[in-house]
């Protein structure tokens, strides 16, 4: 898909900060659910934390975010958003295959999968947080 055919929306720095807040809230809830042994919800929340982190980085680097339900478009946008974008894309790419399993599959999510999801979300949110902090100090 060419960059011109992507579904995106321009976003402001205020919106970027809002996505950062959501990413941090989802990450905190991920940890809470994981600690309580609720691995399906923990994994689902980890995915959403990383999606919000993706919006932060793409918003900072290109003033836009993907509006497509197809997360491959988000990954493409991130890969064009510099080193931070590629790093978040790597974590999001690890998480996306777990989304349907965590949210719709009747089979439970294993603790090991939830732990890996938590770590990937921590990485993605950490990268987004640092990118925003770097922006604020320049």
């Amino acid at each position: 898909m060419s960059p011109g055919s992507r579904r995106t929306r321009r976003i402001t720095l205020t919106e970027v900060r809002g996505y950062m807040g959501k990413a941090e809230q989802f990450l905190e809830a991920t940890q809470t659910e994981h600690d309580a042994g609720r691995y399906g919800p923990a994994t689902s929340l980890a995915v959403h934390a990383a999606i919000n982190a993706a919006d932060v980085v793409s918003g900072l680097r290109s003033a836009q975010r993907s509006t497509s339900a197809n997360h491959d478009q988000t990954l493409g946008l991130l890969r064009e958003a510099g080193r931070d974008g590629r790093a978040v894309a790597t974590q999001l790419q690890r998480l996306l295959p777990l989304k349907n399993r965590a949210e719709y599959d009747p089979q439970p999510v294993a603790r090991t999968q939830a732990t890996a999801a938590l770590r990937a979300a921590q990485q993605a949110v950490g990268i987004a947080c640092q990118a925003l902090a770097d922006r604020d100090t320049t």
Side-chain angles (χ1 to χ4, degrees):
M1 175 166 288
S2 69
S5 63
R6 286 196 186 121
R7 292 178 48 192
T8 61
R9 182 175 72 77
R10 305 249 344 131
I11 61 173
T12 66
L13 184 56
T14 299
E15 290 170 310
V16 166
R17 291 182 198 288
Y19 289 118
M20 189 71 244
K22 285 185 173 225
E24 291 170 333
Q25 290 170 4
F26 277 119
L27 183 59
E28 183 179 328
T30 300
Q31 185 71 60
T32 298
E33 291 301 297
H34 185 277
D35 291 349
R38 293 185 289 266
Y39 302 126
T43 301
S44 177
L45 291 163
V47 173
H48 291 284
I51 289 169
N52 278 277
D55 290 341
V56 169
V57 174
S58 64
L60 286 171
R61 301 297 182 239
S62 66
Q64 60 183 338
R65 66 177 288 275
S66 175
T67 59
S68 174
N70 179 348
H71 294 299
D72 287 341
Q73 288 190 32
T74 301
L75 292 170
L77 196 60
L78 284 169
R79 289 185 186 113
E80 296 169 5
R83 189 180 70 216
D84 294 339
R86 290 187 299 275
V88 172
T90 296
Q91 300 309 319
L92 185 57
Q93 196 164 19
R94 288 182 176 136
L95 287 163
L96 288 174
L98 299 173
K99 184 178 187 305
N100 284 343
R101 176 164 190 161
E103 295 178 3
Y104 307 114
D105 193 321
Q107 298 301 315
V109 174
R111 181 178 194 267
T112 55
Q113 287 179 311
T115 301
L118 171 62
R119 288 187 182 130
Q122 288 169 330
Q123 288 289 318
V125 173
I127 293 163
C129 186
Q130 186 60 56
L132 186 57
D134 290 346
R135 189 256 174 233
D136 287 342
T137 59
T138 58

